[in-house]
Amino acid sequence: QVQLVESGGGLVQPGGSLRLSCVASGSVFSISTMDWYRQAPGKQRELVARRISGGFTNYADSVKGRFTISRDNAKVFLQMTSLKPEDTAVYYCSATRLGTTFWGQGTQVTVSS
C-alpha cells in the first residue's frame, strides 16, 4: 500500500503562484509514475501533469508553460504559476506502483480576486 498526503493548496489571486506538495509513504519502492489530477465542480477529474520514472513529463494543454511537475524520491511537487480562475479545483496526487494506482485526499486550489 501507498499513502499519499497533499498540501499547499489555498486561495490565490489570478496571476499568482502556488506550489503543491505530495508525500508518499508505505511501499514507495517501485513507484513508476506520480501524477497530479484535478477536479472542478461539475466536471470530470482530469490529468494535469505526469512524471514517469526516468524523468519523462507530460502536461495537459491547458497548463503547459505555466505548471511544472517535479519529483524527489517519494515526494512530488506541482509548481503553478500565472494561475487563472479556471484552474480552481481540488488537486489530487496519484502514484502508480506495480499496476495499482493510489490516491491522496486532495487539496483545494481557488483562484479568485
Side-chain angles (χ1 to χ4, degrees):
Q1 294 292 319
V2 175
Q3 295 79 44
L4 300 166
V5 178
E6 302 101 332
S7 61
L11 173 64
V12 63
Q13 292 187 343
S17 300
L18 279 176
R19 186 177 189 242
L20 305 183
S21 300
C22 174
V23 180
S25 60
S27 299
V28 300
F29 57 94
S30 297
I31 289 178
S32 57
T33 303
M34 297 190 80
D35 303 329
W36 285 98
Y37 284 76
R38 68 185 180 188
Q39 187 166 19
K43 295 187 176 182
Q44 290 188 331
R45 191 174 296 190
E46 63 172 350
L47 177 65
V48 175
R50 166 161 292 166
R51 192 185 188 286
I52 299 174
S53 293
F56 175 80
T57 58
N58 191 35
Y59 298 91
D61 288 343
S62 59
V63 307
K64 282 182 181 176
R66 300 189 297 122
F67 290 11
T68 302
I69 189 170
S70 60
R71 180 178 172 183
D72 180 10
N73 293 322
K75 299 178 184 178
V76 66
F77 307 95
L78 187 67
Q79 180 68 48
M80 305 185 293
T81 63
S82 302
L83 283 161
K84 305 175 181 180
E86 50 264 42
D87 294 319
T88 296
V90 178
Y91 284 70
Y92 298 90
C93 169
S94 74
T96 300
R97 177 182 179 272
L98 302 178
T100 300
T101 298
F102 302 89
W103 295 90
Q105 82 289 350
T107 185
Q108 176 71 46
V109 172
T110 302
V111 184
S112 175
S113 55

